[in-house]
Amino acid sequence: YIVSGDVFMYDPYPLRSKRASRRYVAEEISAFRENNHKSGSPCWAVPQTFNWGIQRTVHMSTSINEKLETYIEPTINDMRTMMLICILDGATGIVPWNYPFPWRQDTLDRFKAKNMANYPQLLWDKIKAAATSVKDLTPYLNAKKTSNYNLKIDYQTKGSLVRAKLYKNDQGKHALVVINCKDSKTKAVITLPSNIKLESQNNLTTYLGNGKYLFTSNEFNSDILLEK
């Protein structure tokens, strides 16, 4: 049915139980996008910004044996990183998804009954923070010309998987997106043209000089670097 509309929206929700961890989150998201590539249809991503445990312990009446603490509560880093993976995979729109809508009165009453009356606002604040940092990339993503520079990534840790892409806006300023696709410690040196000076927005990347940047992450995470 992908040919029945103008835009196809795909919605991987890979953050589930803590036992499953975040180990394969990046792979699951990209697998969804790969299938959509075959259609040729423009795609928007619908990244996960909800906790499966909230749905199953707060909103479902048949979840007596479910425990909220066994599920992953998405962090700002999780949300931002999943959004960025979708962008690097070619999504042209981002529509964060949370279910159910947290501001309905019956939903608020359920949270209150679970002594979680402040949860909807805390979740909304996280969604806004993640989306705002990604929105800062808009001038780079919508630029008339794109940067064709091939990045060099040198890993300092074994088993790492880092994705990175350099963008350029219409004013000639650059932005770099870097993602630790594994839920483990990662160190990688990314080499750019030496005349590009970028500043880390999430404090995960350090400038080493001569166009080299050291990206360090202990978990599934991401960084955005902007040229001032």
Side-chain angles (χ1 to χ4, degrees):
Y1 57 80
I2 195 169
V3 296
S4 64
D6 297 319
V7 175
F8 187 80
M9 301 172 71
Y10 64 104
D11 56 347
Y13 305 141
L15 289 179
R16 294 181 287 269
S17 70
K18 292 180 180 178
R19 178 182 297 180
S21 77
R22 297 167 171 83
R23 191 177 309 159
Y24 300 111
V25 170
E27 292 180 24
E28 290 191 36
I29 293 174
S30 294
F32 266 70
R33 183 64 182 96
E34 185 61 31
N35 289 330
N36 294 330
H37 270 303
K38 300 174 183 178
S39 71
S41 172
C43 292
W44 291 1
V46 187
Q48 177 182 354
T49 57
F50 67 90
N51 181 336
W52 277 112
I54 291 294
Q55 185 187 45
R56 292 172 178 172
T57 63
V58 176
H59 303 296
M60 293 177 64
S61 59
T62 58
S63 56
I64 299 176
N65 296 323
E66 297 278 7
K67 294 183 179 180
L68 179 59
E69 58 267 24
T70 64
Y71 289 89
I72 296 175
E73 170 67 22
T75 65
I76 295 174
N77 292 337
D78 289 329
M79 297 178 187
R80 181 188 65 249
T81 303
M82 289 188 288
M83 293 179 196
L84 292 175
I85 289 173
C86 294
I87 289 174
L88 263 62
D89 283 343
T92 55
I94 299 292
V95 186
W97 180 254
N98 177 68
Y99 177 84
F101 183 67
W103 305 119
R104 284 175 39 172
Q105 189 58 53
D106 58 340
T107 303
L108 293 173
D109 290 343
R110 290 193 190 103
F111 279 116
K112 187 175 181 180
K114 296 282 187 176
N115 295 318
M116 298 174 64
N118 63 337
Y119 182 84
Q121 185 61 51
L122 293 174
L123 177 65
W124 179 236
D125 289 343
K126 290 194 294 183
I127 295 173
K128 287 192 297 181
T132 298
S133 63
V134 175
K135 187 179 180 181
D136 289 341
L137 289 171
T138 300
Y140 304 91
L141 301 175
N142 292 336
K144 296 177 182 178
K145 295 183 179 180
T146 59
S147 174
N148 295 319
Y149 184 79
N150 292 322
L151 300 176
K152 180 183 178 183
I153 301 177
D154 294 309
Y155 292 105
Q156 308 296 306
T157 49
K158 293 183 179 180
S160 298
L161 178 59
V162 171
R163 293 183 64 183
K165 186 170 183 178
L166 184 67
Y167 295 90
K168 185 178 182 180
N169 65 21
D170 291 333
Q171 286 68 49
K173 297 294 185 179
H174 293 82
L176 178 67
V177 172
V178 189
I179 299 170
N180 176 10
C181 296
K182 299 290 186 180
D183 192 30
S184 57
K185 186 173 182 179
T186 293
K187 283 189 177 183
V189 175
I190 302 167
T191 303
L192 306 176
S194 59
N195 62 316
I196 299 177
K197 300 295 190 298
L198 306 173
E199 294 184 7
S200 170
Q201 305 302 295
N202 302 301
N203 300 315
L204 296 178
T205 311
T206 305
Y207 182 56
L208 301 177
N210 198 30
K212 296 183 182 298
Y213 292 81
L214 176 62
F215 172 69
T216 304
S217 171
N218 293 323
E219 58 190 359
F220 179 69
N221 209 339
S222 58
D223 201 359
I224 297 173
L225 291 84
L226 302 177
E227 185 175 12
K228 300 301 182 179

